[in-house]
Amino acid sequence: MEKKSNQKRKNQKSMNQAVEFNYERVADWWPLCFNNSCLAADKCMRHFAATHASADVTKHVCVTPMAKGYGKKCNWFKEKEIITLAYGFTTLFDQVRYKDGAALRQALIDYYHCKRQYYWHYHGERPTSPEQQTDMQEIMKQFGYDEPITFDRYEQAFKL
């Protein structure tokens, strides 16, 4: 059990080093944590993001030092995790039967709540999260397409 845990930590450490953190992905409303004395600071995404804030960031929502729920007991703790974001699905309809095309496109527009959101993801202007990728695959299955969706490009990133 301990070997697996150590191996997981090593893998996570090497993944963290390989993935470059993009502070621009941090939303203004997403709380950062500057509590260096927290026992889980090295594992916490909020603390990691705070330490990577650019010099021009002078104002941001933060967890106060009074939030003393150290480690995983802290209500604000968010484990550092690497995810695969997908961008663009411009070839999605290449293998779709003509009779399914309009209904499938509408189902995806409904999933993204509007045409604008749908086209941002379609053209790769916005990342598609792993959860969204799974949901899109389920929609495809409803139309009888079991093949995995191939996106235009993929990127490893920290989950925020």
Side-chain angles (χ1 to χ4, degrees), residues 32-48:
L32 301 178
C33 180
F34 293 92
N35 187 352
N36 293 327
S37 63
C38 177
L39 299 175
D42 63 329
K43 298 179 197 99
C44 182
M45 191 63 217
R46 294 187 194 284
H47 187 267
F48 182 77

Side-chain angles (χ1 to χ4, degrees), residues 7-24:
Q7 186 63 35
K8 185 178 178 183
R9 260 185 256 135
K10 280 182 183 177
N11 290 343
Q12 185 68 25
K13 195 172 195 178
S14 63
M15 286 193 325
N16 289 351
Q17 292 169 348
V19 175
E20 194 170 315
F21 180 70
N22 182 358
Y23 185 80
E24 291 177 9

Side-chain angles (χ1 to χ4, degrees), residues 83-94:
I83 58 171
T84 301
L85 298 174
Y87 289 84
F89 48 94
T90 55
T91 60
L92 178 71
F93 292 94
D94 291 354

Side-chain angles (χ1 to χ4, degrees), residues 77-147:
F77 178 79
K78 181 157 178 54
E79 183 107 32
K80 264 197 293 186
E81 181 182 350
I82 305 290
I83 58 171
T84 301
L85 298 174
Y87 289 84
F89 48 94
T90 55
T91 60
L92 178 71
F93 292 94
D94 291 354
Q95 303 301 319
V96 172
R97 293 181 296 273
Y98 179 78
K99 69 180 185 95
D100 295 334
L104 178 56
R105 181 174 284 109
Q106 189 58 53
L108 290 170
I109 289 170
D110 292 345
Y111 173 75
Y112 283 109
H113 304 292
C114 68
K115 284 184 181 179
R116 182 184 334 179
Q117 288 281 341
Y118 165 79
Y119 281 108
W120 280 339
H121 287 270
Y122 176 81
H123 290 294
E125 295 170 24
R126 297 277 164 87
T128 303
S129 71
E131 295 81 9
Q132 291 170 321
Q133 294 170 44
T134 301
D135 292 346
M136 287 178 65
Q137 192 67 54
E138 288 303 313
I139 292 169
M140 294 293 288
K141 283 182 183 178
Q142 291 172 8
F143 284 84
Y145 300 97
D146 292 330
E147 301 83 26

